[in-house]
Amino acid sequence: MAVDPTHVKQNDPRLKLKQSDVDFARERQAALRTHFGFSDFHPGQAAALDGLQHGRDVLAVLPTGSGKTLVYELATYLLNRPCLVVSPLLSLMQDQVGRLNQRGERRAVAINSMMTPPERMQALQRLDQFRFIFTSPEMLLNNDVIQALRRLQIGLLVIDEAHCISTWGPDFRPAYRSLGTVREALGEPLTLAVTATADHQVQTDIEKVLQLSANHAVVRQSVDRTNIFLNVMRFTSRKQKNEALLTLVESSKKPGIIYFSSKKQADEWAQRFQVAGINAASYHAGLEATTRFSVQQQFMLDRLQVVCATSAFGMGIDKADIRFVIHYHMPSNLLDYVQEIGRAGRDGQQSIATLLVAPGDAQLPADLADLQLPDKATIGRVYAEHQPVLQSDPERLVGYYKEHGYGMDELIELLAKRLQSRRLALRKLMQYIDEPDCLRKNLLAAFDESAPSHDDHCCANSATTMTLSSLDLADDEPRVNLQLPDWQTQMRQLFSEKFIN
Amino acid sequence: MRSVKLTPTRFSAGGYAVDSEFLYALLSTTQTRRPKVIFNCLRGVKTVSILYWSLRYGLLSWLNTVPTVSWEEFTNAIETLKNAGRIVENDDDQLLIVDDGQSQVELVTQLYPENLRERASEVHQRQLIETTLLAIQATSQQSYQAMQYFPLSVTEQARKQVRRWFRQPQQQPLSQAITNWLQTLSAADAQLFVSQLVGHEHPGLTFTQLASQLDQPEWQLRLRQAANWMSLVNFAEQLPPQDGLHALIKPQLHDRLSKSVRDTLAGVLQGYSREAISSRRRLKFSTVSEHLLTAAILLPMEDFPYQKCLTQTDIKSLLASEPANIDDWDFNQQEAVTDYFTFRLVQIWETKNGR
C-alpha cells in the first residue's frame, strides 16, 4: 500500500506494513518487556501479533491459559490506536477493565447495559480518552454507539471468546450474527478473533460472520492440555455421586472449581463443604456484585480452597494454580467442557478434570437443548403481528430474525438445524463419557487433532480407577480451623499502622 | 491525589434476605395481611395504598429495608411457611399465622431495631453501600501505597462520587472515623461490619461464609448488617460537615418525602385548599390528594396539619357509621357522603391514634 508520509502519523498501522519481519519481531519483543515485564511469548502469541503487525486479520485459537488477552493488549500498544473489544459477559468486561486498572492502565472503559442512558451518552462523548473500550454485541446494535466508534477510528477490533458467534449466535445471542455488519460500519478495522476452542465448524462460522479479509491468518495451537488428567466417574445413583463428590474434594489437592448447572445446588454444596471443614464459597449470577467480588478476590488470594460455580465463573479467571475442575452436572457439549476444564493447571503443573455422571444426568442438557429454542407457535405469533411485544428470550430471538429479513419457513428450518446440531454436540459429549479407551484421544478427535500416546498421566475412563496420589494430587495440607479475627485486628490489616491509632 | 478508575456494574438483587422466619415476623395471628403489601413495603414502594396498609399492619418502619428482595425469593418464603402449616392463605390471597409458634417480632426488632430501620426510607442504600465500600477500599490500598489493585465494581455514579470525595481535603482519616464509630457498636456487630469490608489483602467475607463462621442464619446477619449501615449513617450525620465520613455519606441521604409532596404540603400549611394547590401547581386533583395522604402516613402526627384537612364532623360521622375495626371500613358505603381523601385520612388519623 502506498502511503504518503506527510499525511500519516508516526505510529499509523499502515506505516508498519513497510517494516521488515525482523523489525516487527524486535518491536513486539521490546513492547512485551516494557508493558508486561516478560521476556518470552507463550506459543501462538508471537504468531498472532506478527499477523496483526503485517496488517492481516487474525483468528487465534489458543488454549486457555496461553495469554490471549496479552495479544490484543500488546497489539493495541503497538498500533497506538483505540482497541474495541467485544466481550460476551458483563462480568468478563468488568474483570478485563479491572485487570487493566490493576496493571496501571487507566484508559479502559466498559460500555454496557449496566450504564444508565446519560452515563452511556457521557462515556460516548469522551470515548477518545480511552485506549481500551469493552462492549457487548448487543450494544453495537445501537446507532449512537456505532457513530461514536466511527468518529474514533478504531485501530483494532477484537472479538473475545469468538466461538460465541457460532455457539450462541444462531439461537441465543443473535446480535453476534450482526458483527460482520458492525465491522463494515466501522470501516473494516484490523480484526482479531480470539477463542480457546474452535472446531472446524466454529472456525468457518467465525470467518463467515465477521467477513474476515481473504488473506487473514489463522493461528492455531492444540486444544490439548497435557498437564490436565482427564477423568470420568460413573455412579449408579445420585446419592452415590454426592458421597463421591464430598470424598473426592476432601482428598484432592486444592484449589479447585466445581461446576453446577443450578445456582441452588452451587449454594447448597458450598455450605456442605464448609460444614465438612473445607473453605468453599459459591459463585453465580444471582449473587450481589460485592459478594461475587469477594469470592473472586478470596480465590485469587488463596483464601478460598473451592468455588462451587455455575458457568458464570471462569471466563477471565486468571488463577494459575487451580488443581482440579470437577463437573457435577454435565455441560451440553465438548466445546464448553474444554473451555471450563482449561481453567485448571495454567501453571503447567499436574491437574485433573473430573466429570461425574449418574443415571439421568444426560436428561438436563437434553431438555435444555430442546427447551431454549422458540416453538412454532411463538414464531407464528411474532411473524403474524405487525408490532409484536417481545418479552421472552425466544420472542426476542424470533423478532431479531424477522427484523433481519428472514422468512418464517427459513427461520423454522434454521432452528431445526440448530436443534439437530445441539443434539449432535450432546451425543459427542456422551461418546466422550462412554469412551471405552482413551478419553484424550476421543476429546481431541472432536477438534480434528490426534492424541499423544496414552500413559499413566493421560486419563481414566469410567471403567478405570484413578488414584490422586499417583498424580501427586492428593490433599496433603492440614485442615485449617477458620477463626474470624476481631474487628480491631481486621482494621489493622485493612489500614497500615500509620493510618490507625 | 490519585484517581480511581472503575467500571460500572449492576448491584444485582441479592436475595437470601427474606427468609421464611423473617417473613413470619411480619405476619400476624389476628390481622390478615396481603403479601404484595409487605413485599412492596420492604422494597420501598411508596404508593398510597402500600404505605397505608403498611401503616395498618404496623410495618411502616420496614419501608425500604430490603430494596433488593425478589418476588421469587419472597414467594418461596411464603410457600415454606404454608407447607409447614404455620400460615394460611384466605380467598383474597391474604396471609394469617395459624400456629402457636414463638413470635419472631422480638427477635427481628433486636436484630434491626425500629429506630435504625426507620432511617432506611431516607437513604439510597445501594449508593450508600457502594460508595462507602469503594472509599474504604481506595483508602485501604492508599495506606499501603498500593497504586494498582482490582477495584470494586460499582455504578458509574458511585465511582464519580468517590473520585470527587477522594480529592477533597479530609479533616480526619476515614479509617479513624470508622474506628470511632465501630467503638460505639458491640464487638460482635463491629466484627460483622469489618468482615465484609474490601481492601488491601482483605477481600471481605460473604454472608454465607459469615453465617457458617459465626453460627447464625444468613438472614439474621443481613438484618444485623443493615442495622449497622443505618447506625453508620446516624453517626456520620453527627460529624461536622467538613469531616470525610460525613461528606461521603451525606449525598446518600434524602428526604423521606419527595420535593413535590413537600411543596403540596407547604401549600396546605399556607392555607390553600386542595383545589387551589391543584390549579396553582398544575397537578391533577387526585395527585394533590395522594401527596397529602403520603405525607400524613410518613410524617409524625404533629407534623401534618390534620386540622386543616379534616373536621371533627368528618371523623365522628365515619366512626359512627363504620365498624370498630378500621380494616373492615368500606369506602363504597361512604361514597355518597364523603370523598376518598377524607375517608382515608380519617383512617390514618385513627390508626395514628392507636386504633
Side-chain angles (χ1 to χ4, degrees):
Chain A
M1 187 197 298
V3 180
D4 176 358
T6 57
H7 290 98
V8 181
K9 287 181 188 164
Q10 201 184 349
N11 284 315
D12 190 295
R14 286 173 295 170
L15 272 184
K16 305 206 180 306
L17 300 180
K18 294 178 135 186
Q19 293 181 310
S20 71
D21 290 348
V22 178
D23 288 342
F24 284 146
R26 197 175 293 138
E27 201 177 37
R28 62 180 175 254
Q29 201 68 40
L32 181 68
R33 200 164 296 122
T34 312
H35 293 283
F36 296 89
F38 300 149
S39 52
D40 294 311
F41 285 105
H42 283 308
Q45 286 180 328
L49 280 162
D50 191 67
L52 294 171
Q53 285 176 297
H54 278 89
R56 293 168 70 188
D57 295 334
V58 172
L59 165 59
V61 186
L62 304 176
T64 38
S66 60
K68 292 186 286 293
T69 313
L70 181 138
V71 175
Y72 70 74
E73 286 181 14
L74 199 62
T76 303
Y77 292 124
L78 289 170
L79 295 167
N80 200 22
R81 289 219 54 77
C83 171
L84 173 67
V85 184
V86 181
S87 196
L89 299 175
L90 292 170
S91 56
L92 182 58
M93 280 181 228
Q94 285 152 17
D95 286 350
Q96 285 161 323
V97 173
R99 202 162 320 136
L100 282 164
N101 290 170
Q102 194 177 20
R103 214 165 44 69
E105 174 56 81
R106 308 219 164 269
R107 294 173 61 185
V109 68
I111 312 273
N112 57 37
S113 56
M114 294 299 113
M115 279 179 159
T116 61
E119 283 169 0
R120 194 175 84 195
M121 197 54 76
Q122 211 179 14
L124 290 177
Q125 277 162 3
R126 51 189 200 101
L127 217 49
D128 57 351
Q129 294 175 19
F130 298 104
R131 186 178 267 144
F132 295 95
I133 301 151
F134 293 85
T135 196
S136 64
E138 286 75 13
M139 196 49 75
L140 290 171
L141 297 177
N142 292 316
N143 196 37
D144 53 348
V145 176
I146 289 291
Q147 290 311 321
L149 289 167
R150 275 170 71 105
R151 282 194 296 275
L152 197 62
Q153 295 183 357
I154 294 298
L156 179 65
L157 170 66
V158 179
I159 315 299
D160 198 8
E161 310 288 353
H163 60 279
C164 294
I165 289 174
S166 177
T167 54
W168 283 359
D171 52 23
F172 177 44
R173 303 268 299 265
Y176 264 106
R177 306 302 277 186
S178 297
L179 285 179
T181 320
V182 166
R183 189 171 170 267
E184 200 182 335
L186 296 178
E188 299 192 345
L190 190 62
T191 300
L192 167 68
V194 280
T195 176
T197 43
D199 56 19
H200 182 69
Q201 181 58 48
V202 172
Q203 180 180 331
T204 312
D205 275 354
I206 294 171
E207 289 166 336
K208 200 169 128 192
V209 168
L210 292 179
Q211 299 159 35
L212 296 179
S213 55
N215 72 339
H216 74 270
V218 179
V219 177
R220 191 183 262 282
Q221 292 283 313
S222 169
V223 296
D224 190 21
R225 298 277 305 281
T226 49
N227 64 318
I228 303 178
F229 185 89
L230 302 174
N231 183 29
V232 171
M233 293 171 82
R234 201 182 266 282
F235 305 97
T236 51
S237 69
R238 181 66 45 86
K239 186 169 172 279
Q240 198 188 32
K241 180 165 114 168
N242 290 347
E243 285 164 1
L245 175 63
L246 196 57
T247 313
L248 184 63
V249 172
E250 275 180 330
S251 54
S252 293
K253 191 179 264 187
K254 299 167 190 70
I257 306 174
I258 308 165
Y259 281 105
F260 298 86
S261 12
S262 105
K263 297 173 195 169
K264 198 168 160 238
Q265 294 245 38
D267 286 338
E268 284 172 2
W269 272 100
Q271 276 184 343
R272 211 174 290 186
F273 287 131
Q274 281 209 324
V275 171
I278 297 165
N279 195 4
S282 60
Y283 185 104
H284 51 74
L287 299 171
E288 292 125 314
T290 44
T291 302
R292 288 203 305 268
F293 180 90
S294 288
V295 172
Q296 201 169 323
Q297 291 301 303
Q298 285 177 36
F299 197 54
M300 298 306 283
L301 289 168
D302 295 326
R303 309 276 176 88
L304 206 53
Q305 296 174 294
V306 172
V307 176
C308 299
T310 62
S311 55
F313 186 74
M315 280 195 193
I317 291 295
D318 198 9
K319 185 168 172 60
D321 61 350
I322 296 171
R323 293 281 71 90
F324 69 78
V325 171
I326 295 174
H327 279 76
Y328 180 82
H329 289 126
M330 280 168 50
S332 51
N333 56 62
L334 280 176
L335 215 69
D336 288 349
Y337 187 61
V338 169
Q339 282 269 350
E340 286 167 2
I341 66 172
R343 278 141 209 163
R346 289 189 176 193
D347 55 5
Q349 301 296 308
Q350 184 66 58
S351 307
I352 182 168
T354 302
L355 181 51
L356 307 177
V357 191
D361 275 2
Q363 201 51 46
L364 185 67
D367 288 349
L368 285 177
D370 290 8
L371 273 178
Q372 284 170 351
L373 294 176
D375 54 29
K376 280 189 181 166
T378 308
I379 298 172
R381 195 179 53 71
V382 174
Y383 271 82
E385 287 175 24
H386 178 54
Q387 282 183 319
V389 182
L390 308 173
Q391 277 174 330
S392 65
D393 282 343
E395 285 170 345
R396 276 190 284 272
L397 183 77
V398 179
Y400 173 87
Y401 279 106
K402 185 184 170 189
E403 200 183 310
H404 285 76
Y406 281 73
M408 197 165 87
D409 293 339
E410 203 179 352
L411 176 60
I412 290 173
E413 197 187 319
L414 182 147
L415 292 175
K417 273 190 189 156
R418 186 66 193 157
L419 184 60
Q420 234 172 8
S421 80
R422 279 186 184 189
R423 286 177 178 159
L424 180 69
L426 183 59
R427 259 205 307 277
K428 279 190 180 172
L429 183 88
M430 294 308 297
Q431 282 163 5
Y432 171 79
I433 290 168
D434 294 335
E435 171 62 46
D437 188 18
C438 175
L439 291 173
R440 194 174 302 272
K441 191 173 159 195
N442 180 303
L443 185 77
L444 292 176
F447 295 91
D448 303 321
E449 289 186 33
S450 53
S453 53
H454 179 86
D455 62 19
D456 290 347
H457 283 66
C458 178
C459 60
N461 62 32
S462 58
T464 327
T465 39
M466 165 278 312
T467 54
L468 289 165
S469 53
S470 67
L471 296 167
D472 196 24
L473 286 173
D475 188 20
D476 47 9
E477 286 184 20
R479 192 69 27 99
V480 198
N481 192 14
L482 296 170
Q483 271 282 334
L484 192 61
D486 61 29
W487 71 266
Q488 291 92 340
T489 310
Q490 294 195 63
M491 282 297 276
R492 278 194 292 276
Q493 168 58 50
L494 272 164
F495 302 98
S496 76
E497 287 295 328
K498 63 181 176 12
F499 264 71
I500 205 150
N501 289 343
Chain B
M1 193 64 76
R2 194 169 56 81
S3 68
V4 186
K5 185 164 283 295
L6 298 165
T7 175
T9 182
R10 170 172 47 187
F11 189 84
S12 67
Y16 309 110
V18 180
D19 185 89
S20 55
E21 294 306 314
F22 173 42
L23 175 64
Y24 189 77
L26 307 181
L27 296 172
S28 157
T29 50
T30 52
Q31 182 187 38
T32 55
R33 294 182 178 176
R34 288 188 190 91
K36 282 234 158 124
V37 170
I38 302 173
F39 173 74
N40 284 310
C41 171
L42 294 173
R43 282 174 63 88
V45 174
K46 287 186 185 171
T47 61
V48 171
S49 167
I50 298 297
L51 292 175
Y52 171 72
W53 283 105
S54 299
L55 176 73
R56 283 299 306 157
Y57 296 167
L59 298 178
L60 202 56
S61 61
W62 288 101
L63 185 66
N64 198 39
T65 47
V66 195
T68 55
V69 59
S70 71
W71 181 241
E72 186 192 358
E73 175 196 357
F74 192 79
T75 46
N76 282 345
I78 294 176
E79 285 308 311
T80 305
L81 291 176
K82 273 173 28 185
N83 293 339
R86 299 175 66 190
I87 60 167
V88 284
E89 192 171 34
N90 69 13
D91 294 343
D92 289 336
D93 300 332
Q94 300 193 31
L95 306 174
L96 186 71
I97 291 179
V98 288
D99 74 351
D100 53 358
Q102 195 74 32
S103 165
Q104 300 278 20
V105 178
E106 217 168 281
L107 172 65
V108 296
T109 297
Q110 194 189 331
L111 296 166
Y112 198 174
E114 189 163 352
N115 64 322
L116 290 175
R117 64 183 192 245
E118 273 175 350
R119 294 251 37 197
S121 60
E122 299 166 346
V123 177
H124 298 292
Q125 292 195 59
R126 164 190 173 178
Q127 191 79 354
L128 167 78
I129 295 172
E130 287 195 350
T131 48
T132 311
L133 288 181
L134 180 60
I136 289 172
Q137 184 192 20
T139 313
S140 162
Q141 297 286 5
Q142 188 199 31
S143 79
Y144 285 93
Q145 276 102 47
M147 307 308 271
Q148 295 175 6
Y149 57 91
F150 204 110
L152 198 59
S153 301
V154 298
T155 58
E156 184 72 7
Q157 198 188 355
R159 185 187 69 79
K160 280 184 182 157
Q161 279 191 8
V162 174
R163 274 179 79 170
R164 261 199 309 273
W165 172 85
F166 215 70
R167 293 194 186 112
Q168 287 165 7
Q170 297 186 13
Q171 206 182 41
Q172 67 172 335
L174 181 64
S175 55
Q176 189 58 60
I178 298 272
T179 303
N180 293 346
W181 166 67
L182 288 167
Q183 278 161 349
T184 70
L185 303 180
S186 69
D189 282 336
Q191 184 190 42
L192 171 64
F193 188 83
V194 177
S195 296
Q196 292 213 305
L197 299 180
V198 169
H200 189 76
E201 299 277 313
H202 195 280
L205 293 175
T206 68
F207 276 115
T208 316
Q209 290 173 316
L210 286 165
S212 154
Q213 291 195 31
L214 298 171
D215 201 21
Q216 187 172 18
E218 192 173 330
W219 69 272
Q220 294 188 14
L221 291 181
R222 284 179 180 268
L223 289 186
R224 275 177 57 195
Q225 192 69 312
N228 279 341
W229 280 107
M230 293 308 117
S231 158
L232 178 66
V233 166
N234 285 343
F235 181 86
E237 224 177 6
Q238 302 304 316
L239 295 170
Q242 61 274 27
D243 185 276
L245 182 60
H246 180 99
L248 184 67
I249 283 176
K250 187 75 180 157
Q252 322 315 335
L253 308 182
H254 60 81
D255 189 351
R256 176 174 280 233
L257 302 182
S258 71
K259 187 179 176 304
S260 195
V261 170
R262 280 271 176 220
D263 289 348
T264 301
L265 185 64
V268 174
L269 288 167
Q270 287 160 22
Y272 292 103
S273 67
R274 281 185 285 147
E275 289 81 356
I277 294 168
S278 164
S279 129
R280 279 166 63 96
R281 299 199 57 218
R282 294 181 183 172
L283 292 174
K284 280 198 281 186
F285 184 69
S286 59
T287 306
V288 172
S289 302
E290 280 168 13
H291 281 174
L292 293 175
L293 291 172
T294 301
I297 295 167
L298 290 174
L299 291 176
M301 281 189 81
E302 58 275 18
D303 292 348
F304 187 82
Y306 287 94
Q307 71 288 357
K308 288 184 189 286
C309 302
L310 287 180
T311 63
Q312 281 301 320
T313 321
D314 291 330
I315 299 170
K316 278 181 186 159
S317 79
L318 276 165
L319 287 180
S321 57
E322 288 292 338
N325 185 349
I326 295 177
D327 291 347
D328 297 333
W329 286 20
D330 184 1
F331 176 64
N332 294 329
Q333 304 292 322
Q334 301 293 336
E335 214 168 350
V337 286
T338 188
D339 71 341
Y340 180 75
F341 172 78
T342 308
F343 176 83
R344 201 49 125 192
L345 195 58
V346 171
Q347 287 181 306
I348 295 166
W349 164 263
E350 285 296 309
T351 307
K352 295 217 167 190
N353 275 299
R355 283 194 58 195

